[in-house]
Amino acid sequence: MPSRAPRSVTAEVESVLGPAPVSYAQPEVVVLRFRRHGRQLVPPVLALVVIAAAAGFWVGALPAAWMNLAAGAGALLLALLLGVLPVFSWLAHRTTVTTRRVILRQGLFSRHRSEVSFGRVREVRSRRGLSQRVWGSGDIDLLHGAESLRLTDVPGSERVADALQDLMARNYEHATRVEQRLANLPAPQLPGPTAAQPEQAGPVSFW
């Protein structure tokens, strides 16, 4: 099934997070889950329809049996390469946004996982091509240091970018509060040197 665009932005984040917590003692909460826009499934579905129609017309109508077998095998191979594998690749590409980080999972045969915490993100950039504007999707880049994590063809990219900006600001506020609390803590009192106790005189014995 094509993925739906995340519903709300700040309202959804507020409903999940509530007011900014004082510390990270609260458990990590999943805010959003999404895949690339469902329009990615249009080409493989059309390819499967065309291949199935062509196979139904040609397989069995050829004069020789080996020709029919070759046509059937070719149709199965094309359906696998142009239809089935792209669909499974779309299903394997998932993005999870929590209150603390963004996790990107992708890869069909070899799984690859990338994640970045909001404490490291310094900027959220979004861009939309002409076709993406028609479908309401876009690409989002999370800049952290000299590197970036790109979320491609995100459904409802504008609302997702706003939600990521809000989460980044919240995590920055949390980190600032923690630093202020640590700075205001009193210095630990180290035990001072204890005065040496005078030795008590005892009876002197010469034997």
Side-chain angles (χ1 to χ4, degrees), residues 61-129:
L62 298 175
W66 68 269
M67 293 182 180
N68 292 319
L69 290 176
L76 288 176
L77 182 60
L78 288 177
L80 179 64
L81 294 178
L82 301 180
V84 177
L85 289 181
V87 171
F88 278 102
S89 177
W90 179 83
L91 291 173
H93 193 107
R94 296 178 298 168
T95 302
T96 303
V97 180
T98 72
T99 52
R100 301 181 189 174
R101 54 185 171 163
V102 177
I103 306 170
L104 175 62
R105 298 180 178 90
Q106 55 186 341
L108 186 57
F109 298 106
S110 60
R111 303 301 299 273
H112 179 69
R113 168 176 169 150
S114 303
E115 68 175 74
V116 58
S117 62
F118 285 110
R120 298 176 55 198
V121 176
R122 294 295 173 262
E123 187 178 355
V124 179
R125 293 181 181 176
S126 62
R127 64 176 184 175
R128 305 173 67 188

Side-chain angles (χ1 to χ4, degrees), residues 183-206:
N184 294 331
L185 286 177
Q189 298 294 332
L190 297 177
T194 58
Q197 297 293 331
E199 296 183 359
Q200 296 181 357
V204 181
S205 175
F206 296 98

